[in-house]
Amino acid sequence: MNFTEFYNIALEIWSKNASLPDLSEEKAQKLYALTNYMLEVNKSMNLTAIKDEESIILKHYADSLAVSAYIPSGASVIDVGCGAGFPTLPLAIFRPDISITALDSTAKRIEYVKQAARLLVLNNVSAISERAEILANNPSYRESFDVATARAVAAMPILVELCLPFVKVGGSFVAMKAAKGDDEARISANAIAKCGGKLMSANEQPLYSRNSEPEKRMLISIAKEAKTPKEFPRHYSKISKKPL
């Protein structure tokens, strides 16, 4: 697919998803370069099962950018469990005002994110390979971010315990969920309270393609109202076996 075709498809998808930040030709050029780089690297490394450009635009880029409206201007952000760089890389392209730290336990994926950021000249990205529950207990990172994000990497009670410790009091954690996100918000009430948070909203935000039924998406916003007790997060084996 050439750039003109890519850009026209992206514009059509953007026109159906009003919450997305504006798409300029310059930003589309970066998305196009990222797509080509990701698909090339994907030949030798498992980054994504989505390989056609239109689906990448919709399910990686538009989906990732839905969280942008929840991030204040100039915020410091940590993307927990960033995988192949989503939402890190699209956010960095569209929100040069924010600084974003990509966190993943898989070193190869973090190296890919670093290389992609260099390729796209995204100076607002840093990337760390570490387990979230370990980094969240590092004084340099604990309660040091304005916003934490996570894109469907685990059930909500687990995500809350892993992500809220990174957030400053007064900041927020925004979880990006699919069809059952509203149910997950309800079952995470105990975890939210124990980790110093308060559920602010669980908003349905459908993801519209060019020519098929919208896919259900939920954005769950949790405000950080008090410091997270020192015992959280626990070791991941305890978190997974006995969620809060």
Side-chain angles (χ1 to χ4, degrees):
M1 181 181 292
N2 63 37
F3 172 70
T4 300
E5 293 169 324
F6 180 96
Y7 187 29
N8 287 336
I9 289 171
L11 285 172
E12 192 170 348
I13 289 172
W14 251 248
S15 73
K16 294 178 180 293
N17 293 277
S19 66
L20 301 181
D22 291 343
L23 176 66
S24 65
E25 185 171 348
E26 179 184 5
K27 289 181 172 63
Q29 287 277 12
K30 291 201 172 188
L31 293 181
Y32 184 65
L34 175 58
T35 302
N36 290 332
Y37 180 62
M38 179 173 64
L39 290 176
E40 182 61 32
V41 175
N42 202 55
K43 294 175 183 177
S44 57
M45 181 178 163
N46 183 25
L47 292 172
T48 178
I50 302 171
K51 298 178 182 178
D52 72 280
E53 289 91 339
E54 182 169 348
S55 294
I56 288 171
I57 294 168
L58 178 70
K59 295 185 178 182
H60 282 326
Y61 303 154
D63 191 30
S64 289
L65 289 165
V67 76
S68 177
Y70 290 73
I71 301 175
S73 177
S76 57
V77 180
I78 184 166
D79 177 14
V80 179
C82 69
F86 303 115
T88 290
L89 295 171
L91 279 176
I93 291 169
F94 281 79
R95 294 291 305 274
D97 60 297
I98 68 174
S99 59
I100 184 162
T101 299
L103 174 63
D104 200 274
S105 61
T106 304
K108 286 185 177 181
R109 287 182 176 177
I110 286 298
E111 186 56 34
Y112 161 79
V113 171
K114 289 179 180 179
Q115 294 287 359
R118 281 194 283 268
L119 174 71
L120 299 171
V121 197
L122 300 176
N123 297 319
N124 55 341
V125 173
S126 59
I128 300 171
S129 175
E130 184 56 276
R131 297 194 63 84
E133 70 273 21
I134 293 175
L135 196 70
N137 282 302
N138 182 323
S140 296
Y141 295 94
R142 188 176 182 86
E143 296 184 325
S144 63
F145 294 92
D146 298 308
V147 179
T149 65
R151 188 171 177 242
V153 295
M156 271 300 293
I158 294 174
L159 283 182
V160 167
E161 186 171 350
L162 291 175
C163 295
L164 265 184
F166 285 110
V167 180
K168 299 174 183 176
V169 173
S172 64
F173 164 46
V174 186
M176 308 168 72
K177 286 288 183 176
K180 296 183 179 179
D182 44 0
D183 294 330
E184 290 200 52
R186 285 192 289 271
I187 66 171
S188 62
N190 187 54
I192 292 170
K194 285 191 172 183
C195 291
K198 179 182 179 181
L199 179 64
M200 299 303 292
S201 62
N203 294 330
E204 186 171 343
Q205 193 160 305
L207 183 64
Y208 291 92
S209 66
R210 291 199 300 164
N211 47 27
S212 62
E213 290 297 312
E215 298 182 23
K216 185 174 179 180
R217 294 290 190 273
M218 298 289 300
L219 288 168
I220 303 170
S221 177
I222 298 165
K224 182 73 172 283
E225 294 195 320
K227 284 184 172 291
T228 302
K230 291 181 180 180
E231 62 262 35
F232 303 124
R234 298 165 292 163
H235 190 279
Y236 190 79
S237 61
K238 292 183 179 180
I239 298 174
S240 59
K241 288 177 182 177
K242 194 175 180 180
L244 294 176

